[in-house]
Amino acid sequence: MAGPPAVIWEHELEGLLRYRELLPRLEEALGKFSSRDPAEVIQPVRMTVPLQKHHGFLGLMPTYMEKNRVLCTKFVCFYKREDGSTLPSTQSTVVLLDPEYGNIKAVMNGEVITRMRTAAASAISAKLLMCPEAEVLAILGSGVQALSHYEVFTEMFSFKEVRVWSRTGQGSERFCRSVSGPVRVCVSAEEAVRGADVIVTVTRCTEPVLFGQWVKPGAHVAAVGACRPNWRELDDVLMKEAVVYADSREGAMKESGDVILSGAEVFAELGDVINGTKPALREKTTVFKSLGMGVEDAVSAQLVFDQWEAKSCKS
């Protein structure tokens, strides 16, 4: 008989999940997803239940990786919060199951997994699509996703300057206190992105905050916020002038207001570039529209569980 499931809390996860181990697994998983081989990955588009009273949604993100023997789902609640709200914009839990017996193997706090796998996917997009001589990184937003993107982008790449903009001065100040390196605080989004080689948008905005006329030709944009069909971070000019990549074409066509409302075409998935079936057009302005996928949670959760088991055996 299977024993009780492992319960892995946030403070434990931070010691078990590291970018150097997560990044190669995530890149491999993105390629497997885009191969559309059901023996590799079965993952429906995220299912959502509206939480109308609380201006939010419950998302369900199941994934089965037959060859890897991984069965996982994430429950995520995400909300449209007012500026200055002290309530979290997202909360999530990841459940890992045994695909043969159907029992729960582990229940994990989803916050660390979500922020690290999201930032790692953005970093993979930059590795594939940004100009190799990129020197300036601009981050729009100052929350937990901004911090995780700063961590992995400065770990993977050598930028000469990092800029940050937040809707509130307190947010920018808090961000600067939380990071280890120098950051230039900008008073406007335009100031932050003018001349930037890589731009990361990790905001709560539901209307465009990044405009194409500000973005220099050949820049790479990782657009992480605005995960609903009527929410935007990027304007029509940028979406129509850039070459648009996504984690999931189906997800972008169903969930991304940036894609749906602009009428932009998704040129390729990141996994297509990893698999060599679509080119990485580094010389052009590129947008990676990140919605987040269950397969990203699944490989992250399995990595955490493997590390947890190994640690438990030693103690």
Side-chain angles (χ1 to χ4, degrees):
M1 290 179 64
V7 179
I8 306 175
W9 302 103
E10 185 171 356
H11 68 277
E12 293 179 278
L13 273 160
E14 289 173 343
L16 296 172
L17 196 58
R18 292 176 289 269
Y19 285 118
R20 66 176 178 270
E21 290 140 356
L22 175 60
L23 282 158
R25 287 169 173 79
L26 198 60
E27 190 165 336
E28 181 185 22
L30 290 169
K32 287 180 176 180
F33 170 77
S34 293
S35 73
R36 297 300 191 273
D37 179 353
E40 294 285 5
V41 179
I42 297 175
Q43 176 202 277
V45 175
R46 175 168 38 211
M47 296 165 280
T48 58
V49 177
L51 308 174
Q52 211 161 3
K53 179 180 177 181
H54 304 289
H55 308 289
F57 297 87
L58 166 66
L60 306 175
M61 302 172 67
T63 298
Y64 178 40
M65 304 177 74
E66 182 179 295
K67 288 184 179 179
N68 294 80
R69 299 180 63 192
V70 176
L71 178 62
C72 180
T73 193
K74 182 167 78 176
F75 304 86
V76 56
C77 291
F78 47 100
Y79 303 89
K80 180 181 178 182
R81 301 295 194 195
E82 298 295 329
D83 286 344
S85 172
T86 58
L87 296 173
S89 57
T90 62
Q91 288 273 44
S92 58
T93 301
V94 178
V95 177
L96 197 62
L97 302 100
D98 185 308
E100 183 177 4
Y101 290 92
N103 60 292
I104 296 175
K105 292 163 59 176
V107 179
M108 308 177 192
N109 178 284
E111 301 309 296
V112 174
I113 287 175
T114 299
R115 69 174 184 253
M116 288 187 68
R117 61 80 155 151
T118 303
S122 295
I124 291 167
S125 82
K127 184 182 86 164
L128 296 172
L129 300 172
M130 78 178 187
C131 170
E133 295 80 31
E135 295 183 346
V136 179
L137 168 66
I139 300 174
L140 304 186
S142 60
V144 293
Q145 280 294 350
L147 289 169
S148 61
H149 278 74
Y150 175 91
E151 288 168 7
V152 70
F153 273 69
T154 54
E155 182 178 315
M156 282 185 67
F157 311 112
S158 299
F159 292 104
K160 291 184 178 178
E161 183 182 17
V162 179
R163 306 171 187 168
V164 67
W165 170 82
S166 174
R167 283 184 175 273
T168 66
Q170 299 97 316
S172 296
E173 290 169 12
R174 184 175 60 250
F175 179 91
C176 291
R177 289 195 302 268
S178 301
V179 301
S180 56
V183 176
R184 174 183 155 195
V185 175
C186 298
V187 297
S188 68
E190 180 177 2
E191 180 191 345
V193 304
R194 285 280 187 186
D197 301 293
V198 179
I199 303 166
V200 175
T201 60
V202 278
T203 73
R204 295 181 180 183
C205 296
T206 56
E207 298 294 334
V209 68
L210 179 61
F211 295 84
Q213 64 182 7
W214 302 343
V215 178
K216 83 178 210 181
H220 174 62
V221 179
V224 178
C227 59
R228 295 297 301 157
N230 58 337
W231 295 1
R232 302 285 300 268
E233 283 189 310
L234 317 183
D235 79 334
D236 286 355
V237 173
L238 177 55
M239 289 300 297
K240 289 178 178 177
E241 289 184 351
V243 181
V244 179
Y245 296 79
D247 42 16
S248 162
R249 186 185 299 273
E250 292 90 349
M253 296 304 297
K254 181 180 178 183
E255 293 186 308
S256 169
D258 286 322
V259 172
I260 296 164
L261 299 177
S262 69
E265 177 189 351
V266 176
F267 173 72
E269 295 176 344
L270 275 194
D272 295 326
V273 179
I274 293 164
N275 294 338
T277 57
K278 284 290 184 74
L281 300 176
R282 292 177 180 270
E283 72 281 4
K284 296 184 179 294
T285 304
T286 53
V287 167
F288 167 55
K289 183 54 215 172
S290 170
L291 276 308
M293 299 197 297
V295 69
E296 298 169 354
D297 299 313
V299 296
S300 302
Q302 187 62 51
L303 175 58
V304 167
F305 186 71
D306 291 343
Q307 301 274 34
W308 179 85
E309 274 198 320
K311 186 178 178 181
S312 300
C313 289
K314 290 178 183 177
S315 57

